[in-house]
PDB file of all heavy atoms in Angstrom:
ATOM      1  N   MET A   1      18.066  -4.064 -17.508  1.00  0.00           N
ATOM      2  CA  MET A   1      17.780  -5.227 -18.344  1.00  0.00           C
ATOM      3  C   MET A   1      18.521  -6.450 -18.057  1.00  0.00           C
ATOM      4  O   MET A   1      19.526  -6.754 -18.523  1.00  0.00           O
ATOM      5  CB  MET A   1      17.984  -4.838 -19.811  1.00  0.00           C
ATOM      6  CG  MET A   1      17.460  -5.863 -20.888  1.00  0.00           C
ATOM      7  SD  MET A   1      17.316  -5.103 -22.428  1.00  0.00           S
ATOM      8  CE  MET A   1      19.025  -4.710 -22.832  1.00  0.00           C
ATOM      9  N   ARG A  87      -3.476 -30.189   5.970  1.00  0.00           N
ATOM     10  CA  ARG A  87      -4.302 -30.070   7.117  1.00  0.00           C
ATOM     11  C   ARG A  87      -5.668 -30.634   7.061  1.00  0.00           C
ATOM     12  O   ARG A  87      -6.102 -31.329   7.893  1.00  0.00           O
ATOM     13  CB  ARG A  87      -4.315 -28.558   7.614  1.00  0.00           C
ATOM     14  CG  ARG A  87      -5.016 -28.266   8.907  1.00  0.00           C
ATOM     15  CD  ARG A  87      -4.189 -28.756  10.022  1.00  0.00           C
ATOM     16  NE  ARG A  87      -4.899 -28.528  11.337  1.00  0.00           N
ATOM     17  CZ  ARG A  87      -5.833 -29.245  11.753  1.00  0.00           C
ATOM     18  NH1 ARG A  87      -6.339 -30.261  11.048  1.00  0.00           N
ATOM     19  NH2 ARG A  87      -6.476 -28.968  12.878  1.00  0.00           N
ATOM     20  N   ALA A 122      12.934   6.090  -1.344  1.00  0.00           N
ATOM     21  CA  ALA A 122      11.748   5.899  -0.487  1.00  0.00           C
ATOM     22  C   ALA A 122      11.530   4.430  -0.139  1.00  0.00           C
ATOM     23  O   ALA A 122      10.828   4.222   0.858  1.00  0.00           O
ATOM     24  CB  ALA A 122      10.611   6.546  -1.195  1.00  0.00           C
ATOM     25  N   GLN A 124      13.784   2.089   0.232  1.00  0.00           N
ATOM     26  CA  GLN A 124      14.902   1.464   0.952  1.00  0.00           C
ATOM     27  C   GLN A 124      14.673   1.554   2.442  1.00  0.00           C
ATOM     28  O   GLN A 124      15.126   2.522   3.089  1.00  0.00           O
ATOM     29  CB  GLN A 124      16.263   2.054   0.537  1.00  0.00           C
ATOM     30  CG  GLN A 124      16.599   1.775  -0.915  1.00  0.00           C
ATOM     31  CD  GLN A 124      17.799   2.600  -1.363  1.00  0.00           C
ATOM     32  OE1 GLN A 124      18.511   3.050  -0.543  1.00  0.00           O
ATOM     33  NE2 GLN A 124      17.867   2.818  -2.567  1.00  0.00           N
ATOM     34  N   ASN A 173     -12.495 -19.426   7.966  1.00  0.00           N
ATOM     35  CA  ASN A 173     -11.157 -19.603   8.453  1.00  0.00           C
ATOM     36  C   ASN A 173     -10.127 -18.786   7.629  1.00  0.00           C
ATOM     37  O   ASN A 173      -9.304 -18.116   8.233  1.00  0.00           O
ATOM     38  CB  ASN A 173     -10.762 -21.080   8.534  1.00  0.00           C
ATOM     39  CG  ASN A 173     -11.693 -21.809   9.493  1.00  0.00           C
ATOM     40  OD1 ASN A 173     -12.157 -21.295  10.451  1.00  0.00           O
ATOM     41  ND2 ASN A 173     -11.907 -23.112   9.188  1.00  0.00           N
ATOM     42  N   TRP A 192       5.466   2.634   8.516  1.00  0.00           N
ATOM     43  CA  TRP A 192       6.489   3.000   7.563  1.00  0.00           C
ATOM     44  C   TRP A 192       6.291   4.334   6.922  1.00  0.00           C
ATOM     45  O   TRP A 192       7.148   5.178   6.861  1.00  0.00           O
ATOM     46  CB  TRP A 192       6.512   1.966   6.442  1.00  0.00           C
ATOM     47  CG  TRP A 192       7.588   2.135   5.383  1.00  0.00           C
ATOM     48  CD1 TRP A 192       8.577   2.973   5.430  1.00  0.00           C
ATOM     49  CD2 TRP A 192       7.654   1.355   4.145  1.00  0.00           C
ATOM     50  NE1 TRP A 192       9.373   2.873   4.278  1.00  0.00           N
ATOM     51  CE2 TRP A 192       8.841   1.913   3.531  1.00  0.00           C
ATOM     52  CE3 TRP A 192       6.946   0.468   3.516  1.00  0.00           C
ATOM     53  CZ2 TRP A 192       9.172   1.433   2.291  1.00  0.00           C
ATOM     54  CZ3 TRP A 192       7.323  -0.086   2.286  1.00  0.00           C
ATOM     55  CH2 TRP A 192       8.464   0.395   1.589  1.00  0.00           C
ATOM     56  N   LYS A 194       4.997   6.907   8.364  1.00  0.00           N
ATOM     57  CA  LYS A 194       5.446   7.919   9.292  1.00  0.00           C
ATOM     58  C   LYS A 194       6.908   8.155   9.142  1.00  0.00           C
ATOM     59  O   LYS A 194       7.325   9.205   9.136  1.00  0.00           O
ATOM     60  CB  LYS A 194       5.018   7.422  10.726  1.00  0.00           C
ATOM     61  CG  LYS A 194       5.476   8.406  11.727  1.00  0.00           C
ATOM     62  CD  LYS A 194       4.738   9.725  11.682  1.00  0.00           C
ATOM     63  CE  LYS A 194       5.444  10.807  12.549  1.00  0.00           C
ATOM     64  NZ  LYS A 194       4.944  12.137  12.387  1.00  0.00           N
ATOM     65  N   GLU A 195       7.705   7.009   8.929  1.00  0.00           N
ATOM     66  CA  GLU A 195       9.166   7.224   8.771  1.00  0.00           C
ATOM     67  C   GLU A 195       9.511   7.778   7.409  1.00  0.00           C
ATOM     68  O   GLU A 195      10.546   8.496   7.335  1.00  0.00           O
ATOM     69  CB  GLU A 195       9.795   5.828   9.011  1.00  0.00           C
ATOM     70  CG  GLU A 195       9.624   5.174  10.352  1.00  0.00           C
ATOM     71  CD  GLU A 195      10.208   6.055  11.515  1.00  0.00           C
ATOM     72  OE1 GLU A 195      11.364   6.295  11.463  1.00  0.00           O
ATOM     73  OE2 GLU A 195       9.342   6.604  12.249  1.00  0.00           O
ATOM     74  N   TRP A 197       7.329   9.343   4.893  1.00  0.00           N
ATOM     75  CA  TRP A 197       6.670  10.493   4.387  1.00  0.00           C
ATOM     76  C   TRP A 197       6.233  11.538   5.456  1.00  0.00           C
ATOM     77  O   TRP A 197       5.550  12.524   5.173  1.00  0.00           O
ATOM     78  CB  TRP A 197       5.454  10.006   3.561  1.00  0.00           C
ATOM     79  CG  TRP A 197       5.706   9.281   2.308  1.00  0.00           C
ATOM     80  CD1 TRP A 197       6.797   9.415   1.637  1.00  0.00           C
ATOM     81  CD2 TRP A 197       4.954   8.165   1.794  1.00  0.00           C
ATOM     82  NE1 TRP A 197       6.856   8.419   0.574  1.00  0.00           N
ATOM     83  CE2 TRP A 197       5.649   7.737   0.692  1.00  0.00           C
ATOM     84  CE3 TRP A 197       3.754   7.586   2.180  1.00  0.00           C
ATOM     85  CZ2 TRP A 197       5.226   6.662  -0.082  1.00  0.00           C
ATOM     86  CZ3 TRP A 197       3.283   6.525   1.347  1.00  0.00           C
ATOM     87  CH2 TRP A 197       4.011   6.043   0.270  1.00  0.00           C
ATOM     88  N   ARG A 226     -23.297 -11.904  13.405  1.00  0.00           N
ATOM     89  CA  ARG A 226     -24.728 -11.882  13.652  1.00  0.00           C
ATOM     90  C   ARG A 226     -25.407 -13.082  13.165  1.00  0.00           C
ATOM     91  O   ARG A 226     -26.519 -13.374  13.600  1.00  0.00           O
ATOM     92  CB  ARG A 226     -25.297 -10.570  13.035  1.00  0.00           C
ATOM     93  CG  ARG A 226     -26.683 -10.206  13.446  1.00  0.00           C
ATOM     94  CD  ARG A 226     -26.743 -10.117  15.019  1.00  0.00           C
ATOM     95  NE  ARG A 226     -28.145  -9.932  15.451  1.00  0.00           N
ATOM     96  CZ  ARG A 226     -28.767  -8.757  15.652  1.00  0.00           C
ATOM     97  NH1 ARG A 226     -28.095  -7.693  15.489  1.00  0.00           N
ATOM     98  NH2 ARG A 226     -29.983  -8.749  16.162  1.00  0.00           N
ATOM     99  N   SER A 257      -8.961   9.022  -9.972  1.00  0.00           N
ATOM    100  CA  SER A 257      -8.688   9.635  -8.578  1.00  0.00           C
ATOM    101  C   SER A 257      -7.212   9.311  -8.153  1.00  0.00           C
ATOM    102  O   SER A 257      -6.788   9.980  -7.203  1.00  0.00           O
ATOM    103  CB  SER A 257      -9.588   8.934  -7.552  1.00  0.00           C
ATOM    104  OG  SER A 257      -9.432   7.548  -7.592  1.00  0.00           O
TER     105      SER A 257
ATOM    106  N   PRO B  82     -26.292  -4.257  14.516  1.00  0.00           N
ATOM    107  CA  PRO B  82     -26.891  -3.496  13.402  1.00  0.00           C
ATOM    108  C   PRO B  82     -26.235  -2.118  13.322  1.00  0.00           C
ATOM    109  O   PRO B  82     -25.928  -1.639  12.254  1.00  0.00           O
ATOM    110  CB  PRO B  82     -28.303  -3.477  13.707  1.00  0.00           C
ATOM    111  CG  PRO B  82     -28.559  -4.705  14.550  1.00  0.00           C
ATOM    112  CD  PRO B  82     -27.318  -4.873  15.315  1.00  0.00           C
ATOM    113  N   GLY B  99     -12.275   7.397  -2.867  1.00  0.00           N
ATOM    114  CA  GLY B  99     -11.512   6.556  -3.751  1.00  0.00           C
ATOM    115  C   GLY B  99     -11.859   6.733  -5.270  1.00  0.00           C
ATOM    116  O   GLY B  99     -11.159   6.339  -6.153  1.00  0.00           O
ATOM    117  N   ARG B 178       3.476  20.636   9.951  1.00  0.00           N
ATOM    118  CA  ARG B 178       4.488  20.168   8.976  1.00  0.00           C
ATOM    119  C   ARG B 178       5.133  21.388   8.376  1.00  0.00           C
ATOM    120  O   ARG B 178       4.469  22.080   7.655  1.00  0.00           O
ATOM    121  CB  ARG B 178       3.718  19.269   7.904  1.00  0.00           C
ATOM    122  CG  ARG B 178       2.964  18.144   8.434  1.00  0.00           C
ATOM    123  CD  ARG B 178       2.492  17.171   7.387  1.00  0.00           C
ATOM    124  NE  ARG B 178       3.596  16.525   6.729  1.00  0.00           N
ATOM    125  CZ  ARG B 178       3.433  15.403   6.029  1.00  0.00           C
ATOM    126  NH1 ARG B 178       2.289  14.831   5.941  1.00  0.00           N
ATOM    127  NH2 ARG B 178       4.520  14.798   5.492  1.00  0.00           N
ATOM    128  N   ASN B 235       7.859  -1.360 -21.605  1.00  0.00           N
ATOM    129  CA  ASN B 235       7.785  -1.601 -20.268  1.00  0.00           C
ATOM    130  C   ASN B 235       9.214  -1.862 -19.643  1.00  0.00           C
ATOM    131  O   ASN B 235       9.365  -2.705 -18.642  1.00  0.00           O
ATOM    132  CB  ASN B 235       6.985  -2.768 -19.890  1.00  0.00           C
ATOM    133  CG  ASN B 235       5.475  -2.427 -19.845  1.00  0.00           C
ATOM    134  OD1 ASN B 235       5.169  -1.316 -19.426  1.00  0.00           O
ATOM    135  ND2 ASN B 235       4.623  -3.318 -20.220  1.00  0.00           N
ATOM    136  N   LYS B 237      11.820  -3.152 -21.017  1.00  0.00           N
ATOM    137  CA  LYS B 237      12.615  -4.165 -21.629  1.00  0.00           C
ATOM    138  C   LYS B 237      13.872  -3.712 -22.315  1.00  0.00           C
ATOM    139  O   LYS B 237      14.855  -4.453 -22.256  1.00  0.00           O
ATOM    140  CB  LYS B 237      11.692  -4.926 -22.571  1.00  0.00           C
ATOM    141  CG  LYS B 237      12.089  -6.339 -22.885  1.00  0.00           C
ATOM    142  CD  LYS B 237      11.071  -7.062 -23.648  1.00  0.00           C
ATOM    143  CE  LYS B 237      11.618  -8.097 -24.667  1.00  0.00           C
ATOM    144  NZ  LYS B 237      10.625  -8.470 -25.785  1.00  0.00           N
ATOM    145  N   LYS B 328      20.220   6.773  -5.691  1.00  0.00           N
ATOM    146  CA  LYS B 328      20.257   5.513  -4.971  1.00  0.00           C
ATOM    147  C   LYS B 328      20.042   5.891  -3.491  1.00  0.00           C
ATOM    148  O   LYS B 328      19.202   5.308  -2.835  1.00  0.00           O
ATOM    149  CB  LYS B 328      21.796   4.942  -5.079  1.00  0.00           C
ATOM    150  CG  LYS B 328      21.865   3.605  -4.584  1.00  0.00           C
ATOM    151  CD  LYS B 328      23.249   3.023  -4.806  1.00  0.00           C
ATOM    152  CE  LYS B 328      23.377   1.583  -4.639  1.00  0.00           C
ATOM    153  NZ  LYS B 328      24.718   1.068  -5.038  1.00  0.00           N
ATOM    154  N   ASN B 351      13.773   7.947   4.911  1.00  0.00           N
ATOM    155  CA  ASN B 351      13.389   6.729   5.572  1.00  0.00           C
ATOM    156  C   ASN B 351      14.075   6.666   7.037  1.00  0.00           C
ATOM    157  O   ASN B 351      13.796   5.672   7.617  1.00  0.00           O
ATOM    158  CB  ASN B 351      13.762   5.440   4.852  1.00  0.00           C
ATOM    159  CG  ASN B 351      12.491   4.874   4.132  1.00  0.00           C
ATOM    160  OD1 ASN B 351      11.466   4.844   4.764  1.00  0.00           O
ATOM    161  ND2 ASN B 351      12.609   4.490   2.923  1.00  0.00           N
ATOM    162  N   LYS B 360      10.087  15.682  14.433  1.00  0.00           N
ATOM    163  CA  LYS B 360      10.698  14.626  13.625  1.00  0.00           C
ATOM    164  C   LYS B 360      11.226  15.373  12.384  1.00  0.00           C
ATOM    165  O   LYS B 360      10.474  16.097  11.707  1.00  0.00           O
ATOM    166  CB  LYS B 360       9.730  13.603  13.207  1.00  0.00           C
ATOM    167  CG  LYS B 360       9.794  12.397  14.249  1.00  0.00           C
ATOM    168  CD  LYS B 360       9.110  11.199  13.692  1.00  0.00           C
ATOM    169  CE  LYS B 360       9.388   9.946  14.565  1.00  0.00           C
ATOM    170  NZ  LYS B 360       9.576   8.704  13.845  1.00  0.00           N
ATOM    171  N   TYR B 362      12.796  15.300   8.588  1.00  0.00           N
ATOM    172  CA  TYR B 362      12.948  14.359   7.435  1.00  0.00           C
ATOM    173  C   TYR B 362      13.728  14.993   6.350  1.00  0.00           C
ATOM    174  O   TYR B 362      13.701  16.189   6.001  1.00  0.00           O
ATOM    175  CB  TYR B 362      11.594  14.119   6.964  1.00  0.00           C
ATOM    176  CG  TYR B 362      10.654  13.333   7.881  1.00  0.00           C
ATOM    177  CD1 TYR B 362       9.994  14.059   8.856  1.00  0.00           C
ATOM    178  CD2 TYR B 362      10.462  11.999   7.694  1.00  0.00           C
ATOM    179  CE1 TYR B 362       9.100  13.380   9.692  1.00  0.00           C
ATOM    180  CE2 TYR B 362       9.541  11.290   8.554  1.00  0.00           C
ATOM    181  CZ  TYR B 362       8.834  11.939   9.525  1.00  0.00           C
ATOM    182  OH  TYR B 362       8.048  11.338  10.301  1.00  0.00           O
ATOM    183  N   LEU B 412     -10.808 -23.332  13.001  1.00  0.00           N
ATOM    184  CA  LEU B 412     -10.401 -24.303  12.006  1.00  0.00           C
ATOM    185  C   LEU B 412     -10.403 -25.728  12.535  1.00  0.00           C
ATOM    186  O   LEU B 412     -10.971 -26.669  11.970  1.00  0.00           O
ATOM    187  CB  LEU B 412      -8.966 -24.037  11.570  1.00  0.00           C
ATOM    188  CG  LEU B 412      -8.760 -22.823  10.593  1.00  0.00           C
ATOM    189  CD1 LEU B 412      -7.230 -22.673  10.453  1.00  0.00           C
ATOM    190  CD2 LEU B 412      -9.354 -23.054   9.253  1.00  0.00           C
ATOM    191  N   THR B 413      -9.867 -25.818  13.770  1.00  0.00           N
ATOM    192  CA  THR B 413      -9.721 -27.198  14.413  1.00  0.00           C
ATOM    193  C   THR B 413     -11.084 -27.699  14.799  1.00  0.00           C
ATOM    194  O   THR B 413     -11.244 -28.951  14.713  1.00  0.00           O
ATOM    195  CB  THR B 413      -8.702 -27.118  15.609  1.00  0.00           C
ATOM    196  OG1 THR B 413      -8.903 -25.887  16.191  1.00  0.00           O
ATOM    197  CG2 THR B 413      -7.284 -27.363  15.145  1.00  0.00           C
TER     198      THR B 413
END
Side-chain angles (χ1 to χ4, degrees):
Chain A
M1 188 160 63
R87 183 72 184 75
Q124 293 169 22
N173 297 330
W192 183 9
K194 179 68 195 168
E195 294 304 292
W197 297 326
R226 193 57 188 268
S257 56
Chain B
R178 300 189 71 159
N235 277 328
K237 201 172 149 196
K328 190 176 193 174
N351 260 317
K360 267 194 171 219
Y362 295 82
L412 286 173
T413 32

